[in-house]
Amino acid sequence: MSDPSHPPVIGIVGGSGIYDISGLDDVRWEAVSSPFGTPSDKLMFGRLGDQQLVFLPRHGRGHVYSPTSINYRANIDALKRAGVTEIISISACGSFKEALAPGHFVIIDQFIDRTFAREKSFFGTGCVAHVSMAHPVCGRLGDALEASALKLGIPVQRGGTYLTMEGPQFSTLAESRLYQAWGCDVIGMTNMPEAKLAREAEMCYATVAMVTDYDCWHPDHDHVSVDSVIKVLLENAEHGRSLVKEAAPRLADRTGVCDKGCHTALDYALITAPDGRDPAMIEKLSAVAGRVLATA
């Protein structure tokens, strides 16, 4: 079970290409069950030096789940049960900014959630909670990721708004222009409700958005070839692996809970009175909210 008072355990959520990291030892795949259903895949446990890492293929190995059909609740719950305390989310995205060309990484600090067909909370009837999402990512993780990208020479922007669309279809031109007018930086299909659930589970969370292409607002969008997109995907995956390898040691020296409040996000979030809570719901929440439920 995750315990932020113990040494950090870093979870990596992303595509299969991210997990082939040189120097990763003691690798094993293990199924972790969740009362919220079936996670996308088994978890891959490994060690990079003294740092424990846990990898989860967001879409499953072989990319079997669409963004809408991913069981985000089971994924986050399983990572929590596996001992993960901080999550680095790595995902491909489209760009709304000319300056954010393919190959750039964006360390996200805000989201706009336009999804509508996904379970977005662990809580509900029988135990209601409301967590703050004003600052949805961990600045401490962001600092480590930015420093790592700069050291590696990866083109990176610190801060940016990620619009999460439902998919699986891409945007219409009108939608793309609207999101661009809103001031969004990138667009993707997977980081919501992932970020919301990580906050409810009291886990540090950061998103690295890897730009693969310009969204359809760009006049050259229709001229991009499949070969060029694949080339960028492969290069991004290589940079993503390097980024994880460089950032992991920077996160190893945390002692106690995160000073950004991630590990105490539920302190004032539970609304349902103790005598009104559904025992079955409380049992399901044993991993994600066990810290506060045990003291209620």
Side-chain angles (χ1 to χ4, degrees):
M1 195 73 69
S2 174
D3 185 347
S5 67
H6 294 165
V9 177
I10 301 171
I12 312 296
V13 182
S16 299
I18 300 299
Y19 309 145
D20 187 19
I21 296 177
S22 62
L24 194 66
D25 297 320
D26 300 334
V27 174
R28 74 183 192 278
W29 288 91
E30 182 178 322
V32 178
S33 61
S34 167
F36 292 94
T38 304
S40 294
D41 206 328
K42 293 180 178 180
L43 305 185
M44 191 186 92
F45 295 77
R47 181 176 52 81
L48 194 61
D50 294 329
Q51 179 60 57
Q52 295 297 315
L53 301 177
V54 181
F55 298 86
L56 174 62
R58 183 187 281 115
H59 296 277
R61 282 170 288 179
H63 206 110
V64 296
Y65 293 105
S66 75
T68 295
S69 64
I70 292 169
N71 189 334
Y72 294 93
R73 295 195 300 178
N75 284 353
I76 297 299
D77 180 74
L79 288 168
K80 181 89 174 191
R81 291 175 187 275
V84 170
T85 53
E86 16 269 280
I87 296 174
I88 297 174
S89 170
I90 301 179
S91 58
C93 66
S95 169
F96 289 123
K97 302 289 180 66
E98 190 79 47
L100 291 177
H104 278 66
F105 283 16
V106 183
I107 301 171
I108 299 301
D109 63 356
Q110 287 294 326
F111 295 96
I112 294 177
D113 186 0
R114 295 282 289 173
T115 65
F116 53 82
R118 310 175 187 189
E119 293 285 355
K120 299 189 180 188
S121 178
F122 291 112
F123 299 92
T125 303
C127 189
V128 177
H130 302 286
V131 298
S132 172
M133 289 297 295
H135 302 286
V137 296
C138 178
R140 183 176 57 85
L141 266 61
D143 290 343
L145 290 165
E146 179 185 26
S148 298
L150 291 172
K151 180 177 179 180
L152 293 168
I154 299 171
V156 63
Q157 174 179 296
R158 177 67 185 273
T161 298
Y162 179 123
L163 186 136
T164 314
M165 63 179 295
E166 185 61 60
Q169 301 85 1
F170 294 113
S171 303
T172 67
L173 179 57
E175 289 169 333
S176 187
R177 287 172 173 167
L178 174 65
Y179 303 150
Q180 188 183 37
W182 285 355
C184 299
D185 292 88
V186 296
I187 184 168
M189 300 181 188
T190 59
N191 278 209
M192 282 291 177
E194 194 175 83
K196 291 178 176 176
L197 295 166
R199 176 54 52 89
E200 287 188 344
E202 298 192 314
M203 302 163 82
C204 298
Y205 181 91
T207 286
V208 179
M210 306 186 300
V211 177
T212 60
D213 60 272
Y214 291 113
D215 204 47
C216 63
W217 65 272
H218 197 280
D220 294 332
H221 176 272
D222 292 337
H223 303 295
V224 176
S225 68
V226 173
D227 287 346
S228 66
V229 172
I230 291 175
K231 181 176 182 291
V232 173
L233 282 169
L234 293 174
E235 291 173 351
N236 281 354
E238 177 60 34
H239 286 157
R241 289 191 291 270
S242 299
L243 185 65
V244 169
K245 191 171 182 177
E246 175 66 29
R250 298 175 184 268
L251 300 172
D253 60 355
R254 174 183 57 76
T255 57
V257 298
C258 176
D259 61 7
K260 303 300 182 183
C262 305
H263 295 143
T264 54
L266 293 178
D267 273 358
Y268 305 103
L270 296 183
I271 303 299
T272 305
D275 60 1
R277 294 171 186 169
D278 177 10
M281 173 67 88
I282 298 306
E283 178 61 28
K284 288 181 70 173
L285 293 167
S286 62
V288 298
R291 183 186 69 84
V292 291
L293 291 172
T295 59

